[in-house]
Amino acid sequence: MISLFTNVIIKMKSNKRDYLKFWKVIREYFKVRHNLSQADLDMLLYLYSERYFNVTTFREYEEIFSWNKERFYRLIKEGWIELFSSRQKGRPAMRSKAIYSLSYKAKRMVNSIYKKLEGEEIPETMCNNPMFKKNVRFSDKVYRNMIITMNQELKENRLTGQELRHVPE
């Protein structure tokens, strides 16, 4: 009877969708590492799936964030967004707007976020993670401890053959 109960618990754990378990830690790591706000990070994650967009698309999604009229231009200036195609004469009015896309830098960062969510460890060195520097905020030190705990759990899961990703039912 006890072994049957244990098998049920193990099966329940293997079907658990827990790839967002450490989302808060991963999100904070990327915000600190790239000096982004929560709204900036959310916007880049949204635009990643859009592939190409114009200012209107950006502004429509931006309505759900805190008001910041300079966000679009700041993200361009910081190299997160780049111009894909500019206005051209002789085109219909709907197609005459400038088209933008995420920069290579932004695409690499978002890909890295997804890798971390899928179980890749967050670096624990000062050169790769600013949270591990000596003079950091108290909250960074708290997140640093959680990163160490998260990485240990990921290592243990890898050793026991468990995955953080969803297992098809």
Side-chain angles (χ1 to χ4, degrees):
M1 181 87 171
I2 294 174
S3 64
L4 176 64
F5 183 70
T6 307
N7 289 339
V8 171
I9 290 175
I10 291 171
K11 186 172 183 180
M12 287 173 60
K13 282 187 177 183
S14 67
N15 288 332
K16 195 166 129 182
R17 294 180 181 159
D18 60 357
Y19 42 87
L20 292 178
K21 178 178 181 177
F22 294 113
W23 168 238
K24 185 166 176 56
V25 178
I26 293 167
R27 180 182 67 200
E28 190 65 24
Y29 162 69
F30 281 97
K31 284 170 45 181
V32 169
R33 180 166 184 197
H34 298 287
N35 196 25
L36 293 168
S37 69
Q38 178 65 49
D40 294 341
L41 186 60
D42 289 342
M43 180 60 80
L44 294 173
L45 289 168
Y46 172 78
L47 294 173
Y48 180 78
S49 66
E50 290 295 302
R51 191 168 177 186
Y52 302 109
F53 55 92
N54 57 28
V55 177
T56 306
T57 306
F58 185 93
R59 297 288 182 220
E60 285 173 357
Y61 191 66
E62 188 180 37
E63 287 179 7
I64 64 173
F65 299 125
S66 59
W67 187 72
N68 181 346
K69 69 178 189 174
E70 297 298 319
R71 180 178 289 120
F72 181 75
Y73 301 105
R74 184 176 44 75
L75 290 174
I76 289 175
K77 184 179 176 185
E78 292 175 2
W80 297 106
I81 296 174
E82 61 188 11
L83 181 65
F84 179 75
S85 171
S86 62
R87 299 179 188 183
Q88 295 180 2
K89 292 184 179 181
R91 288 193 156 200
M94 288 182 68
R95 296 181 180 244
S96 65
K97 294 181 179 179
I99 305 295
Y100 297 89
S101 67
L102 288 185
S103 66
Y104 178 71
K105 167 183 161 179
K107 290 175 185 174
R108 282 190 55 206
M109 183 199 61
V110 174
N111 279 328
S112 184
I113 289 172
Y114 284 121
K115 286 179 183 177
K116 302 293 184 265
L117 286 171
E118 292 171 350
E120 184 179 284
E121 295 176 22
I122 293 178
E124 297 179 13
T125 59
M126 285 191 297
C127 60
N128 292 326
N129 189 341
M131 292 178 169
F132 281 82
K133 291 182 178 176
K134 290 182 181 180
N135 297 327
V136 293
R137 302 174 299 165
F138 175 75
S139 62
D140 289 342
K141 292 176 183 178
V142 173
Y143 277 103
R144 176 171 58 198
N145 293 336
M146 192 62 202
I147 287 171
I148 292 168
T149 303
M150 181 186 101
N151 285 343
Q152 287 173 345
E153 186 175 323
L154 290 172
K155 287 175 188 174
E156 288 172 11
N157 285 344
R158 219 173 287 124
L159 291 174
T160 60
Q162 295 176 356
E163 293 185 1
L164 286 180
R165 296 182 210 124
H166 169 63
V167 179
E169 297 172 1

